[in-house]
Amino acid sequence: MAGKPKLHYTKGRGKMESIRWLLAAAGVEFEEQFIETKEDLEKLRNGGVLMFQQVPMVEIDGMKMVQTRAILSYIAAKYNLYGKDLKERAWIDMYVEGTTDLMGMIMYLPLQPADAKEKNLALIIERATTRYFPVYEKALKDHGHDYLVGNKLSWADIHLLEAILMAEECKPDILSAFPVLQAFKGRTSNIPTIKKFLQPGSQRKPPPDDKFIAGVRKIFNI
């Protein structure tokens, strides 16, 4: 029997967090090897296991996978979270790319200079409420199903819930104008594997604080 997937990344969210979410939602146990120093990262780079000298890297099924999108696509397909045909997969991809764009804005907010944060936070809230969330609200409302694609839990739903929770950390009432998304959040948060991941003590990572950001800057030279 294959061992548990092993995740190589810092002890924070970043680009690995969506991979943690997807594995957890699929009910897959995983191990983590944290990169805590510049030397840890150099060791991986010098060991020839990072195809493009970058993390995240996930050891799974005998592969050392890099590139976040490739890793997520593989996990989604492996655990039947990627639709039943090419058309469903295309819809899942479109929805995921949207939430990836929004989460990317949120992810980089703590790395920005203090004088830019307020302006960028306002932009995140504006984009979430006028560009991204209306799309998912309308999709769920129009087809009347519990899930975005094929009336079955998929990577698109898991990614959307992650994005909603990240956006709520920016503005707790950000879903106030989106009743369908509020209901979606309630439903998906109670799926047993996801509910477990949302409990204290799980492998879900907290929002980055100043100490963590300082450590990341040191490790990655930014």
Side-chain angles (χ1 to χ4, degrees):
M1 186 178 161
K4 296 175 186 175
K6 190 172 187 179
L7 281 47
H8 296 262
Y9 201 67
T10 61
K11 203 172 186 174
R13 288 183 181 177
K15 292 189 173 184
M16 186 65 91
E17 192 69 356
S18 291
I19 297 166
R20 296 183 186 110
W21 264 88
L22 198 55
L23 286 167
V28 179
E29 291 185 5
F30 57 87
E31 297 173 352
E32 300 193 77
Q33 179 74 51
F34 294 119
I35 297 166
E36 300 187 78
T37 64
K38 206 171 180 175
E39 290 70 35
D40 290 343
L41 181 60
E42 284 308 310
K43 192 177 173 186
L44 275 179
R45 284 175 171 163
N46 295 335
V49 295
L50 302 179
M51 188 184 286
F52 301 110
Q53 305 292 304
Q54 295 170 311
V55 288
M57 189 269 278
V58 174
E59 295 184 59
I60 185 169
D61 295 343
M63 296 184 288
K64 290 180 168 66
M65 291 196 73
V66 295
Q67 297 294 354
T68 311
R69 172 79 203 200
I71 297 165
L72 286 164
S73 299
Y74 182 83
I75 293 165
K78 180 178 171 74
Y79 295 105
N80 200 23
L81 294 165
Y82 210 177
K84 70 177 187 303
D85 55 31
L86 272 175
K87 279 192 176 178
E88 285 196 357
R89 188 166 288 199
W91 279 104
I92 289 167
D93 284 340
M94 285 191 282
Y95 289 139
V96 163
E97 289 297 323
T99 38
T100 299
D101 289 347
L102 176 59
M103 287 195 286
M105 293 173 72
I106 299 169
M107 197 187 305
Y108 289 111
L109 187 65
L111 292 165
Q112 291 164 356
D115 59 353
K117 278 185 185 172
E118 199 173 320
K119 181 183 165 192
N120 285 310
L121 178 61
L123 181 62
I124 287 165
I125 292 163
E126 188 264 328
R127 288 275 168 84
T129 53
T130 64
R131 179 178 294 187
Y132 295 109
F133 289 164
V135 169
Y136 304 104
E137 177 87 359
K138 184 177 187 302
L140 289 162
K141 190 176 180 182
D142 284 357
H143 63 42
H145 296 154
D146 285 351
Y147 302 112
L148 284 166
V149 180
N151 201 22
K152 181 178 181 293
L153 181 71
S154 76
W155 173 20
D157 303 298
I158 297 158
H159 222 237
L160 176 56
L161 178 60
E162 183 188 0
I164 287 170
L165 297 180
M166 284 176 75
E168 285 183 333
E169 289 170 353
C170 296
K171 188 176 190 287
D173 66 345
I174 200 161
L175 285 189
S176 58
F178 303 101
V180 178
L181 283 184
Q182 289 175 39
F184 169 86
K185 176 194 160 190
R187 273 194 314 275
T188 48
S189 296
N190 277 299
I191 292 167
T193 51
I194 293 175
K195 189 174 183 178
K196 185 180 173 187
F197 187 61
L198 293 173
Q199 299 303 310
S202 80
Q203 287 167 292
R204 186 181 180 219
K205 302 297 181 271
D209 57 19
D210 291 343
K211 185 183 173 188
F212 176 74
I213 292 297
V216 164
R217 288 187 187 281
K218 202 174 283 186
I219 294 166
F220 295 102
N221 244 353
I222 52 176

